């Protein structure tokens, strides 16, 4: 396996997920930490791509951007009501363990 995944968490992802990932050595940046909460979705996806980070989101608008052909470093999409924060953390740890950046390039992973 190549380099590990790095994540960029959209502003609605629970902070518990970021905290738990970091506790396990995963490189995570949140929208809040990056000072990007007011940026449009396209700019968020471009930022994540420039940083080679998989965007983790509950926002289905990113699925439309991916379908339009906008290049990205990967999108991990989850419906907002599907998991509790601790479950989302576990699923992101699995994703981190089995995928690498080349697997996620222009790929949408439905969690």
């Amino acid at each position: 396996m190549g380099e590990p995944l790095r994540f960029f968490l959209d502003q609605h992802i629970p902070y518990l997920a970021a905290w738990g990932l970091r506790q396990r050595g995963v490189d995570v940046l949140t929208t809040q930490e990056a000072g990007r909460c007011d940026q449009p979705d396209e700019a968020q996806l471009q930022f994540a791509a420039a940083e080679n980070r998989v965007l983790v989101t509950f926002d289905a608008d990113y699925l439309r951007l991916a379908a339009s052909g906008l290049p990205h470093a990967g999108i991990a999409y989850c419906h907002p009501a599907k998991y509790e924060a601790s479950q989302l953390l576990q699923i992101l740890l699995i994703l981190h363990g089995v995928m690498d950046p080349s697997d996620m390039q222009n790929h949408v992973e439905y969690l």
Side-chain angles (χ1 to χ4, degrees):
M1 187 136 145
E3 293 290 317
L5 290 181
R6 299 168 63 217
F7 292 118
F8 182 54
L9 275 55
D10 199 10
Q11 64 188 21
H12 302 292
I13 301 297
Y15 188 77
L16 174 65
W19 180 84
L21 289 166
R22 287 184 179 127
Q23 291 297 307
R24 290 155 181 87
V26 178
D27 186 335
V28 177
L29 178 64
T30 68
T31 306
Q32 294 87 339
E33 293 163 347
R36 300 188 57 81
C37 290
D38 61 344
Q39 297 296 307
D41 294 343
E42 186 173 336
Q44 299 287 41
L45 197 56
Q46 290 170 335
F47 173 81
E51 295 285 317
N52 199 27
R53 292 181 180 274
V54 173
L55 178 74
V56 180
T57 187
F58 295 147
D59 186 346
D61 290 339
Y62 288 103
L63 303 178
R64 287 186 278 287
L65 287 172
S68 77
L70 185 67
H72 56 86
I75 298 170
Y77 171 78
C78 177
H79 186 278
K82 189 170 183 180
Y83 301 113
E84 294 179 14
S86 61
Q87 294 170 311
L88 179 59
L89 167 62
Q90 293 303 313
I91 290 169
L92 290 172
L93 286 169
I94 291 169
L95 182 66
H96 184 266
V98 299
M99 302 286 268
D100 64 30
S102 64
D103 297 325
M104 289 300 297
Q105 192 68 38
N106 296 313
H107 173 73
V108 175
E109 187 68 25
Y110 293 85
L111 306 177

